[in-house]
């Protein structure tokens, strides 16, 4: 079916429904091939394609790449996977008229647009998504104060170079932009040579968004008791005709716990450290799992698959960084926890005798992340291309986690643990297809990621707080827990000394790592479901069920390894 082509302003297209929730979009999709395009509160200026395929409703975030304004050139490019288009209607025409799969992982084909009924409902942030020449010119004519908290270099680069449309555009409503007003941004951070084409999603804001709200804000946050707070939910507060009482001010929105300022250390007497310090919070009511769940529930696995497909690797990397920083006690450490452990950070606690519980928790976290990632690959019983797409996604996630990008080295070690696991590395057909279909990702894995991981395991990799937010602690943790260093005696002694020296340096640089992690997460608003899915407690319950998670750790791991081996042999039997 031909998609209408009446102009490049996709707001005029009948398949564009404006601001629409996921539930309402799924209700409109009746048959396989039905699709619509909508705006999402959690995706900001990235439109979402909702499509029904094989009886399930799928949602695909369209990456919007802003360009510098030049005559005869589009202001932004749109892409789903590899190919970029000068407009969203051009992208839709290409995929619909050519009957091309929206993604290789799902194979979903959009063929019949769901026609919009009635006017478009627009969100506040959607004004930045629907760029028009008049709006852009009006924005260029506005004068910005140099006292903007984010600085003009973050509002599009510089005043002389003009701001990039779509990347940091502020709606031109009847708001006076004063020097104390915050500039709310939502642009992807660069992630490296291959990850340049990737972008974060669902609440990822600019890396240097302002931390201090205005004293009298012209924008306020709505009640977020049911939905996660995002800057996309900002609503306009009109001046009251009665005015405000003298001495009363609008309440300032609270910063999330990972952006809270560190409390100044008070002079106190030495307190004997406790031996049971843990940063693994007790299980709360889960939004994805019921009070009692069985291992590997298909419905939950299907939900998780859709959740990860909706997020770009850059956004997933920030979600994982946040979860890892909390698990390692780098961010969000309370004063009571600092008093109890006798130090200010989990990185310091790891190296002390009474850090045994924390070391055990981090080792288990690494293991469950690796097992869950391996399950994502080995659980793909469909076409070979589907399994190959999962491998490619893991490689892109590893690139987004590496030093210089998110800088989450424990997360990088877990993803590389999946790719290097024997049950995954033996899938010769899958890896051959990856090299054939996604050569760039395969080359990055072999020539960049594998040498980097080898150096990190040997204690010789990068560990500078400027490019790393959370260091690779696994070698030191294993050594302190009594594991022997593999290899010849002479080489193992050298590696042992490097590991111990690196551990001392990590503990010494803990405040610098804390600052680096906080800077990367500045302004970040995570998706609550994805954030829960990356916690240790959730993964443990997902893999072994609410009853099986209490079994001995070694027994649990051994049985699951046997399950993965059986899945691997089923996918590609031995010749």
């Amino acid at each position: 079916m031909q998609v209408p082509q009446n102009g490049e302003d996709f707001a005029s297209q009948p398949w564009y429904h404006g601001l629409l929730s996921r539930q309402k979009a799924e209700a409109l999709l009746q048959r396989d091939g039905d699709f619509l395009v909508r705006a999402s509160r959690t995706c900001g200026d990235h439109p979402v394609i909702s499509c029904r395929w094989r009886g399930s409703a799928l949602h695909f975030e369209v990456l919007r790449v802003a360009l510098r304004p030049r005559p005869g050139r589009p202001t932004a490019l749109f892409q789903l996977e590899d190919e970029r288009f000068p407009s969203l209607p051009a992208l839709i025409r290409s995929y619909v008229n050519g009957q091309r799969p929206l993604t290789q992982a799902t194979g979903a084909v959009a063929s019949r647009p769901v026609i919009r009924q009635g006017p478009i409902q627009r969100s506040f942030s959607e004004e930045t998504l629907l760029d028009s020449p008049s709006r852009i010119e009006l924005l260029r004519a506005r004068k910005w104060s140099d006292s903007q908290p984010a600085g003009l270099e973050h509002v599009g680069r510089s005043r002389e170079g003009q701001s990039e449309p779509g990347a940091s555009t502020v709606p031109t409503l009847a708001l006076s932009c004063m020097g104390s007003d915050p500039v709310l941004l939502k642009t992807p951070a660069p992630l490296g040579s291959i990850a340049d084409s990737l972008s974060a999603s669902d609440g990822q804001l600019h890396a240097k968004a302002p931390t201090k709200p205005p004293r009298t804000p012209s924008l306020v946050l709505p009640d977020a008791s049911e939905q996660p707070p995002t800057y996309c939910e900002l609503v306009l507060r009109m001046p009251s005709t009665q005015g405000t009482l003298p001495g009363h001010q609008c309440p300032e929105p609270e910063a999330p716990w990972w952006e809270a300022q560190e409390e100044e250390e008070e002079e106190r007497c030495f307190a004997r450290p406790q031996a049971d310090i843990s940063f693994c919070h007790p299980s709360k009511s889960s939004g994805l799992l019921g009070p009692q769940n069985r291992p590997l529930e298909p419905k939950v696995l299907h939900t998780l698959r859709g959740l990860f497909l909706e997020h770009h690797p850059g956004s997933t990397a920030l979600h994982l960084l946040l979860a890892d920083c909390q698990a390692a006690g780098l961010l969000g450490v309370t004063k009571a926890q600092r008093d109890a452990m006798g130090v200010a950070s989990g990185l310091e606690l790891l190296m002390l005798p009474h850090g045994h519980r924390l070391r055990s928790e981090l080792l288990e976290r690494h293991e469950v992340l690796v097992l869950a990632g391996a399950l994502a690959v080995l659980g793909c019983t469909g076409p070979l291309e589907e399994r190959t797409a999962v491998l490619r996604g893991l490689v892109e996630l590893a690139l987004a986690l590496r030093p210089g990008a998110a800088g989450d080295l424990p997360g990088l070690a877990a993803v590389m643990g999946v790719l290097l696991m024997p049950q995954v590395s033996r899938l010769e057909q899958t890896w051959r297809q990856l090299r054939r279909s996604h050569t760039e990702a395969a080359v990055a894995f072999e020539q960049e990621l594998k040498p980097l991981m080898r150096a990190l395991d040997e204690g010789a990799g990068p560990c500078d707080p400027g490019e790393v937010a959370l260091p690779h602690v696994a070698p030191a943790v294993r050594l302190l827990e009594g594991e022997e260093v593999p290899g010849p005696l002479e080489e193992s002694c050298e590696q042992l000394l490097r590991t111990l020296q690196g551990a001392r340096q990590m503990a010494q640089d803990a405040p610098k790592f804390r600052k680096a992690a906080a800077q990367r997460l500045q302004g970040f608003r995570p998706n609550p479901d994805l954030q829960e899915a990356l916690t240790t407690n959730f993964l443990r319950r997902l893999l072994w069920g609410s009853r099986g998670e209490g079994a001995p750790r070694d027994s649990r791991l051994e049985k699951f390894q046997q399950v993965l081996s059986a899945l691997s042999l089923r996918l590609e039997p031995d010749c």
Side-chain angles (χ1 to χ4, degrees), residues 161-357:
Q162 299 294 347
S163 63
E164 296 182 8
S168 57
T169 316
V170 177
T172 57
L173 302 178
L175 297 174
S176 57
C177 184
M178 304 301 292
S180 60
D181 283 343
V183 178
L184 303 178
L185 303 169
K186 183 170 183 176
T187 58
L191 295 176
S193 57
I194 296 180
D196 282 339
S197 61
L198 308 177
S199 169
S201 63
D202 280 18
Q204 179 184 356
L205 303 180
H206 193 281
K208 295 184 179 179
T211 57
K212 183 179 180 181
R215 294 184 178 179
T216 309
S218 55
L219 299 172
V220 296
L221 288 170
D223 182 17
S225 58
E226 298 183 357
Q227 295 184 351
T230 66
Y231 282 143
C232 302
E233 296 173 353
L234 286 170
V235 294
L236 183 63
R237 167 172 287 184
M238 301 302 295
S240 174
T241 55
Q242 299 178 353
T244 57
L245 296 177
H248 286 72
Q249 296 179 347
C250 298
E252 296 185 357
E254 295 183 2
W257 57 265
W258 60 88
E259 291 183 0
Q261 297 292 332
E262 288 289 328
E263 301 177 6
E264 294 185 2
E265 289 290 329
E266 301 177 358
E267 294 186 2
R268 62 179 189 273
C269 299
F270 174 77
R272 184 180 181 83
Q274 300 178 8
D276 58 350
I277 300 300
S278 171
F279 299 103
C280 187
H281 298 283
S283 299
K284 303 177 182 178
S285 57
S286 172
L288 298 172
L289 296 172
Q292 300 292 328
N293 71 289
R294 301 177 64 182
L296 305 178
E297 291 186 353
K299 183 178 179 181
V300 179
L301 294 176
H302 179 76
T303 302
L304 291 177
R305 184 171 182 269
L307 194 62
F308 280 96
L309 284 174
E310 289 180 19
H311 290 73
H312 288 282
S315 174
T316 306
L318 289 180
H319 282 82
L320 188 54
L321 172 63
L322 179 58
D324 285 337
C325 286
Q326 185 175 17
L330 185 65
L331 295 177
V333 182
T334 64
K335 184 177 184 298
Q337 288 173 324
R338 291 198 300 269
D339 292 341
M341 64 185 177
V343 290
S345 168
L347 289 183
E348 301 169 83
L349 178 63
L350 284 174
M351 312 307 166
L352 299 177
H354 58 284
H356 168 72
R357 181 175 178 180

Side-chain angles (χ1 to χ4, degrees), residues 18 55 70 93 128 133 136 247 255 265 291 372 386 396 447 462 469 480 515 548:
R70 292 182 182 176
R93 286 196 296 270
T128 67
I136 295 173
E265 289 290 329
E386 179 182 355
E396 291 176 341
Q447 298 185 3
L480 292 173
K515 181 178 180 181

Side-chain angles (χ1 to χ4, degrees), residues 373-450:
L375 181 67
V377 178
L378 302 174
C380 293
T381 57
L384 178 63
E385 291 74 14
E386 179 182 355
R387 197 158 58 250
T388 305
V390 176
L391 277 186
R392 178 200 177 193
L394 288 172
V395 172
E396 291 176 341
L397 178 57
L399 291 169
L401 290 165
R402 63 184 171 176
D408 179 9
L409 300 192
L412 173 64
V415 176
M416 291 299 295
V418 176
L419 297 172
L420 297 173
M421 178 178 282
Q423 293 93 328
V424 175
S425 59
R426 66 171 294 275
L427 302 176
E428 296 182 2
Q429 298 178 17
T430 308
W431 286 100
R432 189 182 304 117
Q433 182 66 24
L434 178 72
R435 290 188 289 269
R436 183 183 301 120
S437 303
H438 309 290
T439 307
E440 193 175 12
V443 171
F445 173 69
E446 293 291 341
Q447 298 185 3
E448 183 176 356
L449 293 176
K450 288 177 70 173

Side-chain angles (χ1 to χ4, degrees), residues 517-528:
Q519 287 177 346
R520 281 170 168 79
L521 294 168
Q522 182 70 41
F524 175 61
R525 297 298 179 269
N527 178 290

